[in-house]
Amino acid sequence: MKNLNLKTKQGWLDDFFLTSETLNTEAGKEYADIASIAATLCHAPLAVVYLVDEFKQSFTNKKIMSSEDHAAVLSLCRHANKQTPSFFEVTDTLKDELLVNHPLVNGNMQLRYFVSVAIKSMEGKRIGVIGVMGIQPNALSKEQRNALETIAMMAGKMLEASFHIQMAKEYQENLRRERDIEKNMLRIVRNHVLKPIESLKATVELCGYEGLDTEKLAVRELLSNRLSGTIDTIENIIDWGNVLIDNKYQKQIKEIDIHELVKEILGNYLIQATLKNNRLMNLTEENLTVKTDENILRFILKNLLNNANTVTENGTITIYAEEDVEHVMISVCDTGEGMTPEQLKNLYTKEMSSANDDIEESDVVLSFRLVKDFVEELDASMQIKSMPDEGTAIFLYFSK
């Protein structure tokens, strides 16, 4: 099917009419039903819904018609479609110089009456006709004409509906393909970047400490820490990318058991906390729930936990949750370095990276900004309290 430019309203039907795929079996039945209604309205044996040539589609109230008669009917509809008036009526074909020699008039059908009304798009473009054919001279009443024009208007709206349904299906399919591509790119990063670095870190740690002087031990420890930081950053980027991709297509809002989610996150982070001699505590109430996107909330809490562990050593990191009449509050608190009021202010305004920043500081700032963006994406709010050498507490508020 030809790609459609949805940004330009004018002429969208021109592109749409280049295919007949838009009219499936169900649509064909609906147009045949319209033809039956038109025939009944006009007390005629035959009615046709004819769509412009690009469609090569016509629907009649007759299930069986010879190929010769069908071709003749189409030629008559094409003739009617070219007429200037939207409403075209021949009360007696034998008295019409253009139709008197038509195969339907002289052939087996003995056509004596023909009326057509234009089917138009919402822009007013003629896109087909409803043609009604009889074997006796006739003339529609004003009421019949109005009703037939109403039926034609309905046919035009049906065609537009078919267009939008088709476009919606194509759009969803394109989204699915884009999502698969983006997910595969993240898998490549995980397999070809993250795993080799994890293997390198494991190799460094297997080397052991024996035979290393103080300087080499310091280098080994620094290398191991840097690799750990790099692994955490890459994992964070992958998680961030997955959340962005999933959120791009549709957030999955549902009731989430906060205690169980925090239990899962703390369990996965136990090794990192142990390496810094930090204690992790889950003080969330059991069976307390919040209605939000689970993947985004998991990403937020993992990043806040990682930041807390980065700035805390020999301390405690606590995740707590409670609810009141209007909100569910989740907090992540640490007993780490804390921040001065000036540092807290700069956290919102500081550039992502600076030549004077060390890696840990830059990672914390980047992670915080990502958390802030995702909190806003969930229509939640965030508050930070911090004191130097006492620690930091971050509060998330979700409306009920």
Side-chain angles (χ1 to χ4, degrees):
M1 181 174 181
K2 181 178 178 180
N3 292 329
L4 302 178
N5 183 1
L6 295 180
K7 296 181 180 180
T8 56
K9 181 179 178 182
Q10 183 65 33
W12 62 266
L13 283 169
D14 291 329
D15 288 336
F16 185 52
F17 289 153
L18 293 177
T19 175
S20 61
E21 296 173 0
T22 52
L23 299 174
N24 54 25
T25 302
E26 288 187 17
K29 182 179 182 302
E30 290 173 354
Y31 282 99
D33 289 342
I34 284 182
S36 294
I37 294 172
T40 301
L41 172 68
C42 299
H43 308 294
L46 177 64
V48 179
V49 175
Y50 168 78
L51 303 176
V52 291
D53 290 341
E54 289 87 343
F55 269 119
K56 298 181 175 62
Q57 293 280 346
S58 63
F59 307 92
T60 77
N61 62 319
K62 299 295 184 184
K63 295 183 179 180
I64 300 176
M65 182 182 292
S66 69
S67 59
E68 293 81 4
D69 285 344
H70 187 261
V73 167
L74 291 183
S75 72
L76 182 57
C77 289
R78 291 191 190 99
H79 170 73
N81 192 51
K82 295 176 182 178
Q83 302 305 307
T84 302
S86 297
F87 183 84
F88 175 68
E89 185 178 37
V90 179
T91 58
D92 188 344
T93 57
L94 294 179
K95 297 179 180 179
D96 185 277
E97 61 181 13
L98 294 178
L99 294 184
V100 66
N101 295 318
H102 193 277
L104 293 179
V105 177
N106 296 324
N108 294 330
M109 188 175 290
Q110 295 292 301
L111 178 68
R112 291 295 177 267
Y113 172 76
F114 178 74
V115 62
S116 72
V117 60
I119 301 173
K120 295 183 179 180
S121 69
M122 57 185 178
E123 288 92 356
K125 177 181 177 179
R126 189 187 295 240
I127 55 179
V129 296
I130 294 178
V132 181
M133 306 171 197
I135 57 175
Q136 298 291 336
N138 190 20
L140 294 187
S141 67
K142 181 179 179 180
E143 291 76 14
Q144 286 176 307
R145 172 175 175 171
N146 290 339
L148 192 60
E149 289 175 339
T150 300
I151 293 172
M153 182 179 65
M154 291 172 53
K157 289 184 176 180
M158 283 176 54
L159 188 58
E160 291 176 13
S162 297
F163 165 78
H164 290 298
I165 291 171
Q166 179 69 18
M167 289 307 304
K169 290 179 179 179
E170 290 188 5
Y171 180 69
Q172 290 296 328
E173 178 62 19
N174 289 336
L175 284 182
R176 185 192 65 77
R177 290 174 182 170
E178 288 179 12
R179 184 178 185 275
D180 288 345
I181 291 172
E182 291 165 351
K183 287 281 190 178
N184 286 334
M185 290 175 66
L186 290 178
R187 292 189 185 100
I188 291 173
V189 172
R190 182 180 297 278
N191 292 333
H192 296 278
V193 178
L194 180 59
K195 287 187 177 180
I197 295 176
E198 289 176 334
S199 298
L200 178 60
K201 181 176 182 291
T203 302
V204 170
E205 293 177 345
L206 284 173
C207 291
Y209 295 90
E210 296 182 4
L212 297 179
D213 56 30
T214 303
E215 183 178 351
K216 291 180 178 179
L217 281 173
V219 171
R220 179 193 178 283
E221 189 68 21
L222 177 62
L223 178 59
S224 180
N225 289 337
R226 292 304 191 199
L227 288 172
S228 295
T230 301
I231 290 171
D232 289 341
T233 299
I234 294 175
E235 287 180 338
N236 201 38
I237 291 172
I238 293 172
D239 289 342
W240 174 51
N242 279 316
V243 170
L244 281 177
I245 292 169
D246 292 336
N247 187 47
K248 173 181 177 181
Y249 299 102
Q250 187 176 10
K251 288 197 289 285
Q252 301 294 327
I253 305 299
K254 63 180 181 180
E255 291 287 345
I256 301 166
D257 188 316
I258 300 174
H259 184 82
E260 290 300 316
L261 179 61
V262 171
K263 181 180 178 181
E264 170 203 322
I265 294 171
L266 294 184
N268 293 335
Y269 210 81
L270 187 60
I271 295 176
Q272 291 94 317
T274 302
L275 291 174
K276 300 197 69 176
N277 198 31
N278 288 327
R279 185 170 61 145
L280 304 179
M281 298 185 65
N282 182 0
L283 298 184
T284 58
E285 299 177 13
E286 293 189 12
N287 301 319
L288 178 59
T289 63
V290 61
K291 193 171 184 178
T292 188
D293 185 287
E294 184 173 2
N295 289 330
I296 297 180
L297 181 58
R298 179 183 286 105
F299 176 84
I300 290 171
L301 294 179
K302 284 176 62 178
N303 273 269
L304 293 179
L305 178 60
N306 184 69
N307 288 351
N309 193 62
T310 299
V311 299
T312 304
E313 193 164 357
N314 302 315
T316 302
I317 301 172
T318 304
I319 300 183
Y320 173 74
E322 64 178 17
E323 65 176 336
D324 58 25
V325 177
E326 297 181 349
H327 298 93
V328 174
M329 185 278 292
I330 304 175
S331 66
V332 179
C333 307
D334 65 67
T335 58
E337 299 171 3
M339 291 178 284
T340 66
E342 186 66 22
Q343 288 173 322
L344 191 56
K345 179 181 178 181
N346 289 340
L347 189 60
Y348 288 91
T349 58
K350 194 170 184 178
E351 295 296 329
M352 286 292 188
S353 61
S354 170
N356 296 324
D357 288 341
D358 58 27
I359 291 178
E360 288 76 18
E361 186 178 20
S362 297
D363 286 346
V364 168
V365 172
L366 172 62
S367 178
F368 172 78
R369 294 244 176 132
L370 292 176
V371 166
K372 180 175 177 292
D373 289 342
F374 279 116
V375 168
E376 293 174 354
E377 184 67 29
L378 293 177
D379 296 323
S381 60
M382 181 168 64
Q383 181 184 16
I384 305 177
K385 296 181 180 180
S386 188
M387 290 290 291
D389 301 320
E390 292 187 13
T392 301
I394 299 179
F395 303 89
L396 308 175
Y397 297 92
F398 298 86
S399 298
K400 286 188 174 180

